[in-house]
Amino acid sequence: MQNSCLHVFSKFNFGPLVPSAGGKKTGLHSFAPLVTNMKSAEEDAFSYTPNVTLSLPISMGNPCLSTQYHNLQSSPIVPVSSCHQAGYGLHNNGGAPGYYLTPNLRANGAPALESPRIEITAYGQFPEDEMEESSLPIAKRVNSIVTLTLPNADGYRDPSCLSPASSLSSRSCNSEASSYESGFSYNYDNSPQNSPWQSPCVSPKGSSSLHSCTHTTSPRHSPSTSPRASIADESWPVPHRGSRPSSPCGGKRKYSFNGAPCRHPSYSPGHSPAVSPQGSPKIIAVDDAWPPNTNQYTNSAIVAAINALTTDGVVDLSDSVPVKSRKTSLEHSPAMSLKVEPGGEEPGLGEANQDDYPGPRLPFKKENYCGGFLDVPQHPYPWSKPKPYISPSLPALDWQLPSCSGPYSLQMEVQPKSHHRAHYETEGSRGAVKALSGGHPVVQLYGYMESEPLTLQLFIGTADDRLLRPHAFYQVHRITGKTVSTASHEVLQSNTKVLEIPLLPENNMRAIIDCAGILKLRNSDIELRKGETDIGRKNTRVRMVFRVHINQPNGRTVSLQAASNPIECSQRSAQELPLVEKQSVDSSPATGGKTLVLSGHNFLPDSKVVFVEKAQDGHHLWETEAKVDKDSFKSTTLLVEIPPYRNQRISSPVQVNFYVCNGKRKRSQYQRFTYLSPNVPIIKTEPNDDYEPQRASRLAAHSKPYYSPLGVAPSVPADPGHCLVGGYPSPSPSSSPKLHDLSTAGYPKCLSGGQSHHAAVSMAVHPGSPDHAPLVMLQPPVAPHLGSPAAGGCSHGYRPPALYPNGSPCSSPVSHPSTPGAGPEAAFRPSLQPPAGPAHCLSTPAPGPGQEQPPHPAAGGQQPPRAARHRQAGAAGAGPDILRRRARAWVRDVRRQGLLFVRLLFPAEPPPCRCRHWDRGVGGGGLLAPVPVTPMRCQDVFLSAAVPPALPLTVAITV
DNA sequence: AAGCTGGAAGAAGTC
DNA sequence: CGGACTTCTTCCAGC
């Protein structure tokens, strides 16, 4: 996919830009104040400050800027450095890299306005803001912006930018699986060399990841001390958010395990993380856990951050940990002794699989870890355990893998029910996930003719519109008992529980998944995890993700992945929220009029079906309520008359969404729908349910996506949003991950070019077709090590959720070397591939901003009111309080929706670039585009924009 | 008796 | 800032 990203990078010398002070206002007057004000605003409002202003002088030729550094210090603005050493002003500065007085001003005091800027704002802000702000004094406008701090070369991130939950690490042990989010590859081998940037500070602990994991498995962790087996607890000495009781005591529970009233505010039976019973200062424990993570991510930025913390004083680190958390940690020991499980030691890992671990748990062994397998003493499997796929290059769990490759095809024959109430650790199991038909989900591998059994892996993944990745708030839970016919055992891979199930030839490589339940981890626990950026609230949809690794004679391994339909795991949602499982058609001529049959749950006689079209900036372009045939109403079926599109003369397909609404805040997820020009034949959605497994699976396996992100993008040239989000899979039924060709060459090497340097943000110029607006892309930063020679062995892990202009995610089989040594190219390939998620091939690229994953009732539905408030605030003159609220709202939006707006701002006159949407409100103009990112991790985004190469560019990321 | 379920109370978060 | 409402987490009881 050459075109995919013709990353024409420039040399970004941030050094010069960074500076100074003083500044005068430049064309972008708004910025100077903006930064300052924002800073204060955010500081006041939250202790987290996402604010970034990057100055990127663009010149041609030098690609590769990745955001690697996060400023640990509280600097209002963090300089971004480029991978280009030469231009690495910041680094050179070494010292306080991130202290710019005003991002807009150049060191010499010259206005930075000459540079276009990219401003990222929480989703939904711009649209409204533009309106309101345009009428406000620039200064005020600026004030109302909360900025996001980008990483700089010396620190990972400003502690102040982080919620207690996020600290220095891009990922905590637990979330390592989501390597892409951190933008670093996940190294199973944890090899220091994976990162040229290994800090000495970390190196010594090269195996520390093991440490952290050791905690996890340490007998001390005695599960007995905690009913919880969550990885989170065990893997992370995570501080607990003070705002919410992290311990059971905080909630409804009023008694500790011993039955005594729970008075200890800090006591948390559930938190027996890695902290030693000795109650050593949890900070220490935290530290121990850090390096490992860092190491695995090979995030030099993190390492640097750690270093900074280490050298600058633990105080910083500790300070970043909520007092309560630390306190809680300290009191773990008492907690541990409170509950004594019969049998004494309980494996910390899982609840149900204790039996699998007869003796004390063994600490993680690095080697094992490398292989992605937990070192488990013995396998009580009834089947001869297939050779575990032990390869350092085992794809990280957040990698998007194809469901089919060559002759092989991994398919979900029977989908799970759309609702499954997950159980908390404080509860008993709620059983295995069931199938709609009453049985259990079934997975089958086709095309495998060997006699050797394989291992099917299962973990709980996300079901949002972003890339499929391990779900931070849910874990697979092994179910055992008489009723369970399928053998399984748990392992920990990247700190995500993975259930291993035998795939036996005698069973036709088919497995009935009756041994998997879903465990819910407390939001407060997970959110406090280092590096965790997702929020648990309303994040209750998951997918069962299955993987199988097939060794090839040539030494390579084919990895396949199949994901289930989304599963709603919350009690309330499952009971009240309408859920659309299937739709008879997903497209129609613009004239509408046809009948759309929706199958799902919780439909009410008064349910409404609303079709919505949103602009890339989130504006509602069109909204209409479809006619629902109430006569034929069923709680599981709705007959809807497709409303005519607002424009009957469309020449190309138009993406819209619709949702079922049962009332305020009771909306289904957005469903995608496409209006076609009248002469375009309708594409019918094939059924895919439990009753037609074969058919469904085949479809999933062989049918072409109705529209692939790639395919869509072209049809919506003017919509950067498509491109931006296009690569994100949506939770689409029958979605199966499509493959990323990991072995195909031809990717731009831009990412590998200067990787060894401290890169920060990179601007990529996408030639795009003449008709296309430039794309501004946000991608996770490319791990510096990826492109480095040292990164050779680590080709997995990094998978930016970016968009990939072209190239089908299903194009080629995924095969990765089973030997460590995949070259840097390989490492990048995935990153350049379209984020082919399970739904990738079957769903449309996220519909621009609008797609803002609505339906979690909260997000989408609540946008308007908030927006209204914002407008009011702006109109009112944006007083401090208002600004604070507004900023807070923005942050919430970003966190919820994972979308930011990127806009290029030019000094005055729009430069001769291909931006379509000029923002006349501020300075010159820019490109506004929604960009899915991991909330609060904007530091990790990779910016790409089509900007005149010659123009210096300043990037401001605002949240 | 243990595990699975459904329901709901009460705390925390959000509007 | 406070009330109303939503969501989360825990607990209870029945099967």
Side-chain angles (χ1 to χ4, degrees):
Chain A
M1 315 200 178
Q2 307 161 294
N3 64 342
S4 68
C5 291
L6 196 137
H7 293 104
V8 180
F9 295 82
S10 355
K11 300 177 180 179
F12 301 122
N13 185 336
F14 299 96
L17 292 175
V18 183
S20 11
K24 303 180 174 179
K25 281 187 176 184
T26 59
L28 264 188
H29 341 293
S30 51
F31 267 94
L34 175 150
V35 172
T36 12
N37 292 326
M38 284 176 146
K39 159 88 170 158
S40 62
E42 57 183 62
E43 285 180 344
D44 291 346
F46 354 140
S47 41
Y48 119 52
T49 319
N51 170 4
V52 180
T53 294
L54 311 177
S55 294
L56 309 176
I58 294 181
S59 63
M60 295 297 285
N62 185 14
C64 317
L65 292 177
S66 64
T67 308
Q68 297 296 337
Y69 296 87
H70 301 251
N71 183 9
L72 290 175
Q73 321 184 15
S74 38
S75 123
I77 299 169
V78 181
V80 178
S81 27
S82 102
C83 58
H84 200 56
Q85 224 164 10
Y88 221 50
L90 293 178
H91 278 278
N92 294 336
N93 291 341
Y99 295 85
Y100 301 41
L101 293 181
T102 59
N104 305 327
L105 302 176
R106 295 174 185 277
N108 60 6
L113 292 183
E114 285 131 23
S115 309
R117 294 168 177 278
I118 287 181
E119 179 178 303
I120 299 178
T121 302
Y123 161 74
Q125 303 312 312
F126 275 134
E128 318 144 15
D129 296 341
E130 287 179 60
M131 299 195 299
E132 60 187 75
E133 288 179 0
S134 58
S135 61
L136 292 174
I138 290 176
K140 289 188 176 181
R141 281 188 273 151
V142 173
N143 285 336
S144 65
I145 299 173
V146 175
T147 57
L148 174 68
T149 301
L150 270 193
N152 75 28
D154 291 320
Y156 174 57
R157 66 173 67 169
D158 181 341
S160 67
C161 308
L162 304 173
S163 70
S166 41
S167 40
L168 313 171
S169 138
S170 65
R171 277 282 167 181
S172 59
C173 188
N174 216 0
S175 22
E176 286 165 8
S178 299
S179 62
Y180 87 83
E181 285 192 351
S182 66
F184 300 100
S185 40
Y186 174 74
N187 306 316
Y188 284 84
D189 59 3
N190 214 17
S191 173
Q193 63 252 42
N194 283 325
S195 170
W197 307 38
Q198 289 303 323
S199 155
C201 150
V202 175
S203 300
K205 298 181 179 180
S207 59
S208 47
S209 72
L210 303 179
H211 289 195
S212 65
C213 293
T214 300
H215 290 309
T216 309
T217 55
S218 171
R220 289 169 142 206
H221 262 285
S222 126
S224 56
T225 65
S226 163
R228 317 179 62 197
S230 87
I231 289 174
D233 286 341
E234 297 170 1
S235 302
W236 282 270
V238 177
H240 293 280
R241 184 169 54 189
S243 61
R244 189 165 199 158
S246 53
S247 78
C249 298
K252 188 176 178 181
R253 179 188 293 186
K254 305 212 169 33
Y255 299 87
S256 55
F257 285 112
N258 60 8
C262 180
R263 300 176 194 169
H264 246 303
S266 53
Y267 158 57
S268 173
H271 302 304
S272 47
V275 183
S276 81
Q278 277 65 24
S280 56
K282 297 17 239 166
I283 290 179
I284 290 177
V286 171
D287 281 344
D288 284 346
W290 270 97
N293 298 334
T294 302
N295 196 17
Q296 293 183 348
Y297 282 109
T298 58
N299 182 337
S300 56
I302 300 175
V303 173
I306 294 174
N307 276 329
L309 289 177
T310 305
T311 49
D312 293 345
V314 182
V315 181
D316 293 340
L317 180 56
S318 61
D319 286 348
S320 68
V321 178
V323 174
K324 180 176 179 180
S325 302
R326 279 178 273 151
K327 195 171 180 181
T328 299
S329 296
L330 288 170
E331 297 174 13
H332 277 153
S333 20
M336 295 181 144
S337 61
L338 290 176
K339 181 180 178 182
V340 178
E341 301 280 347
E345 296 177 340
E346 174 187 343
L349 230 202
E351 307 84 346
N353 62 334
Q354 321 277 338
D355 42 310
D356 283 347
Y357 307 82
R361 282 177 162 270
L362 296 179
F364 262 111
K365 294 277 176 79
K366 186 172 183 177
E367 312 76 77
N368 293 319
Y369 198 66
C370 294
F373 289 85
L374 176 62
D375 183 14
V376 180
Q378 295 175 6
H379 305 296
Y381 308 154
W383 82 95
S384 66
K385 188 164 193 262
K387 257 193 295 184
Y389 175 74
I390 299 180
S391 167
S393 58
L394 193 69
L397 297 180
D398 59 345
W399 267 41
Q400 311 303 299
L401 303 177
S403 61
C404 48
S405 172
Y408 310 117
S409 177
L410 182 63
Q411 301 301 327
M412 287 219 66
E413 294 296 279
V414 178
Q415 289 285 347
K417 286 173 63 176
S418 55
H419 289 145
H420 174 83
R421 181 172 162 182
H423 66 271
Y424 284 83
E425 291 162 318
T426 51
E427 297 182 301
S429 166
R430 288 188 177 276
V433 174
K434 297 173 182 58
L436 203 55
S437 56
H440 293 278
V442 175
V443 177
Q444 184 162 5
L445 172 65
Y446 291 96
Y448 181 77
M449 314 306 271
E450 308 301 318
S451 58
E452 185 178 7
L454 295 178
T455 293
L456 179 69
Q457 295 185 311
L458 161 61
F459 64 91
I460 300 302
T462 56
D464 55 26
D465 275 354
R466 293 186 289 160
L467 291 173
L468 174 62
R469 60 198 182 284
H471 205 299
F473 300 89
Y474 292 90
Q475 294 283 337
V476 65
H477 169 75
R478 177 171 175 255
I479 304 292
T480 57
K482 300 180 243 176
T483 59
V484 177
S485 62
T486 306
S488 68
H489 89 128
E490 280 181 338
V491 297
L492 199 58
Q493 181 172 329
S494 307
N495 291 293
T496 291
K497 275 190 192 175
V498 176
L499 214 52
E500 290 191 340
I501 300 164
L503 263 184
L504 309 175
E506 50 265 44
N507 290 340
N508 200 25
M509 301 308 281
R510 177 187 178 93
I512 298 174
I513 315 302
D514 60 357
C515 55
I518 302 177
L519 170 70
K520 172 68 168 67
L521 303 179
R522 282 194 302 230
N523 294 342
S524 58
D525 290 345
I526 304 307
E527 290 168 356
L528 284 177
R529 253 164 33 184
K530 289 184 173 62
E532 183 53 59
T533 55
D534 283 347
I535 57 175
R537 197 173 176 80
K538 293 186 176 182
N539 185 1
T540 55
R541 283 159 59 90
V542 309
R543 280 183 284 183
M544 297 176 83
V545 185
F546 298 90
R547 283 188 170 188
V548 66
H549 306 288
I550 310 168
N551 289 314
Q552 300 293 287
N554 61 6
R556 299 175 79 82
T557 298
V558 172
S559 294
L560 302 178
Q561 174 176 304
S564 72
N565 290 345
I567 303 170
E568 176 57 61
C569 294
S570 77
Q571 175 187 14
R572 175 181 171 271
S573 296
Q575 295 174 335
E576 303 175 5
L577 299 180
L579 184 143
V580 177
E581 290 185 325
K582 290 187 298 182
Q583 58 191 77
S584 59
V585 297
D586 64 359
S587 62
S588 146
T591 50
K594 308 247 177 183
T595 298
L596 168 64
V597 181
L598 302 181
S599 300
H601 294 282
N602 300 330
F603 296 150
L604 302 174
D606 293 332
S607 290
K608 295 177 181 177
V609 176
V610 180
F611 280 69
V612 180
E613 180 187 13
K614 289 187 178 183
Q616 60 188 31
D617 59 5
H619 278 110
H620 267 68
L621 294 177
W622 173 66
E623 180 172 318
T624 189
E625 185 179 330
K627 291 180 185 175
V628 176
D629 183 353
K630 297 185 189 287
D631 294 336
S632 58
F633 160 79
K634 280 186 186 176
S635 65
T636 57
T637 306
L638 282 183
L639 294 186
V640 182
E641 180 182 317
I642 299 172
Y645 182 59
R646 61 186 171 99
N647 177 5
Q648 306 286 303
R649 296 186 171 184
I650 54 177
S651 56
S652 59
V654 175
Q655 270 293 303
V656 301
N657 295 302
F658 70 83
Y659 59 84
V660 177
C661 178
N662 282 355
K664 189 183 177 185
R665 300 193 181 209
K666 292 184 181 176
R667 295 181 179 181
S668 68
Q669 291 280 318
Y670 272 150
Q671 304 299 311
R672 307 188 194 298
F673 194 81
T674 304
Y675 278 108
L676 308 170
S677 89
N679 53 358
V680 176
I682 299 177
I683 299 175
K684 278 205 168 189
T685 298
E686 295 294 341
N688 175 19
D689 60 19
D690 298 340
Y691 305 104
E692 298 181 90
Q694 204 63 31
R695 186 180 176 190
S697 64
R698 287 305 171 191
L699 280 171
H702 308 297
S703 66
K704 288 286 182 182
Y706 298 128
Y707 28 66
S708 70
L710 305 175
V712 173
S715 67
V716 193
D719 184 355
H722 276 287
C723 297
L724 292 172
V725 244
Y728 292 78
S730 66
S732 161
S734 71
S735 53
S736 295
K738 295 307 176 182
L739 132 95
H740 285 196
D741 181 358
L742 303 181
S743 59
T744 302
Y747 293 99
K749 303 280 176 63
C750 61
L751 296 180
S752 58
Q755 298 298 319
S756 62
H757 302 302
H758 294 43
V761 166
S762 78
M763 301 296 300
V765 177
H766 291 261
S769 83
D771 299 330
H772 293 204
L775 303 181
V776 173
M777 312 195 318
L778 279 185
Q779 304 178 326
V782 174
H785 66 277
L786 284 177
S788 73
C794 168
S795 63
H796 41 270
Y798 177 62
R799 183 202 14 69
L803 10 175
Y804 308 77
N806 289 308
S808 163
C810 309
S811 56
S812 60
V814 161
S815 132
H816 49 83
S818 51
T819 55
E825 293 179 357
F828 289 128
R829 278 165 204 147
S831 72
L832 294 173
Q833 286 287 345
H840 202 56
C841 290
L842 295 177
S843 63
T844 309
Q851 84 190 51
E852 26 276 11
Q853 336 174 332
H856 247 206
Q862 295 162 11
Q863 191 65 30
R866 195 178 307 130
R869 263 208 293 278
H870 291 169
R871 273 189 288 278
Q872 292 173 357
D881 288 343
I882 293 177
L883 291 176
R884 198 167 304 161
R885 286 192 179 194
R886 184 174 182 175
R888 194 177 306 162
W890 281 351
V891 171
R892 275 200 299 267
D893 283 344
V894 173
R895 296 180 62 183
R896 268 186 198 155
Q897 312 195 27
L899 288 177
L900 296 180
F901 266 85
V902 177
R903 114 172 109 179
L904 284 177
L905 299 176
F906 296 90
E909 293 301 317
C913 64
R914 310 184 66 79
C915 294
R916 291 224 172 200
H917 307 283
W918 299 106
D919 169 28
R920 300 184 183 78
V922 182
L927 169 62
L928 199 61
V931 179
V933 300
T934 300
M936 300 187 65
R937 286 185 58 71
C938 303
Q939 302 88 319
D940 290 342
V941 302
F942 209 88
L943 299 178
S944 300
V947 181
L951 278 178
L953 174 66
T954 297
V955 179
I957 297 179
T958 306
V959 173

